[in-house]
Amino acid sequence: MKINSVVEGLSLVLILGLTSSLTASEAEHGKAHWSYTGESLPAHWGELKPEFHTCKDGVNQSPINLTGFVDANLTEIPFDYKTGSTEILNNGHSVQVNIASGSTIEVDGIKFELKQFHFHTPSENNINGKSFPLEAHFVHASKDGELAVVALMFEEGDENKMLGQLWEKMPMKAGEKTKLEIADVTTILPKERDYYRFNGSLTTPPCTEGVRWIVVKKPTTLSKAQIEKFAKVMGHPNNRPVQGTNARMIVE
Ligand SMILES: [Zn+2]
């Protein structure tokens, strides 16, 4: 199984005619085992592979429509983002910025390290039934492999300087990546970081549950041209539809 995956990954590298800048596993990740359009679209993810069964059987799936909030006096999340980005890649599902180790947040007394952030258009989560043109996911992992995702919504308005820097380096084709050195990624976050919180899952296969979701209440802005540039590079919407909230509470 593992060997097959590596071989698949290698043959993809050959098909795309890429240089050795991508490892086999990265190329494998970029391969369209699942997609947002066509036969392997989100409604079919759960049937594509046995490992993806949670995509159809899960009851705490993401994204959701955030509504019916329960007051919980949430404490402020300490963001300690010290390190910068290393590269920006287009994996065919999204555009992702990888982060050097050393940037953390703390949730429930556990330290989570920022690994990467990426984007969805339109937004995956909705707030009170409202969809946004773009949503960023800051993906953090603890030492034990637990995940915490901070979601940030964007609405159309002023140009976003940080996105301007990112979009300039954004690889246009799936499977490509570029070096990117941005010293302080904190500047993408709004100063006001009140948030909603719920338990959810990865929004892409294998749709693993047990993910701590933190959705920043206040959206930030990007320009119409910036929305259009990202949509054009993706070539299709890259949002999973909202899933059932079921018995979950969304606290604020
Ligand atoms: Zn995401």
Side-chain angles (χ1 to χ4, degrees):
M1 192 68 186
K2 261 196 181 149
I3 290 170
N4 281 344
S5 302
V6 171
V7 171
E8 268 179 36
L10 287 174
S11 56
L12 180 74
V13 170
L14 294 177
I15 291 161
L16 294 178
L18 295 180
T19 62
S20 58
S21 62
L22 278 181
T23 66
S25 87
E26 281 167 334
E28 165 74 7
H29 182 74
K31 196 178 175 194
H33 288 302
W34 54 269
S35 61
Y36 291 99
T37 56
E39 284 185 4
S40 48
L41 50 62
H44 295 164
W45 286 352
E47 281 116 43
L48 295 176
K49 275 183 164 190
E51 304 93 285
F52 295 175
H53 73 94
T54 311
C55 300
K56 67 168 194 278
D57 300 337
V59 291
N60 294 321
Q61 290 287 291
S62 288
I64 57 168
N65 175 33
L66 282 75
T67 193
F69 307 107
V70 175
D71 231 319
N73 271 328
L74 293 171
T75 55
E76 205 178 298
I77 301 220
F79 282 85
D80 190 9
Y81 284 0
K82 295 181 189 132
T83 52
S85 57
T86 59
E87 60 186 12
I88 182 163
L89 61 104
N90 178 337
N91 59 27
H93 302 308
S94 186
V95 166
Q96 179 175 316
V97 175
N98 288 333
I99 303 295
S101 65
S103 285
T104 60
I105 57 170
E106 200 177 304
V107 188
D108 302 332
I110 304 169
K111 270 220 154 68
F112 292 84
E113 188 176 68
L114 177 63
K115 300 292 183 187
Q116 47 103 337
F117 61 91
H118 61 264
F119 301 90
H120 298 272
T121 185
S123 68
E124 296 208 294
N125 290 295
N126 286 200
I127 299 177
N128 283 323
K130 186 179 181 226
S131 161
F132 295 80
L134 190 80
E135 178 174 349
H137 289 159
F138 296 79
V139 181
H140 306 75
S142 75
K143 263 205 314 248
D144 299 328
E146 289 190 71
L147 297 175
V149 179
V150 174
L152 176 63
M153 301 297 178
F154 294 76
E155 57 190 4
E156 191 182 317
D158 291 342
E159 190 176 271
N160 187 298
K161 279 203 183 110
M162 169 64 96
L163 289 188
Q165 285 178 280
L166 300 181
W167 278 194
E168 206 176 291
K169 294 284 180 90
M170 174 163 62
M172 297 296 151
K173 289 193 192 120
E176 289 181 351
K177 64 179 181 180
T178 318
K179 247 193 172 177
L180 176 79
E181 281 166 16
I182 285 174
D184 184 7
V185 297
T186 326
T187 55
I188 201 171
L189 294 172
K191 291 209 170 65
E192 221 175 281
R193 294 172 194 162
D194 287 352
Y195 62 95
Y196 305 110
R197 190 171 163 187
F198 62 96
N199 289 321
S201 73
L202 298 178
T203 67
T204 57
C207 307
T208 315
E209 297 190 335
V211 178
R212 290 166 166 86
W213 276 89
I214 290 143
V215 177
V216 177
K217 285 186 181 180
K218 193 185 159 87
T220 188
T221 65
L222 86 171
S223 69
K224 189 160 186 255
Q226 289 180 313
I227 300 169
E228 284 167 356
K229 183 165 183 186
F230 182 76
K232 196 173 166 204
V233 168
M234 281 287 101
H236 53 77
N238 68 336
N239 66 310
R240 184 188 197 195
V242 290
Q243 307 291 304
T245 303
N246 300 321
R248 282 177 284 180
M249 269 203 303
I250 302 144
V251 296
E252 68 173 332

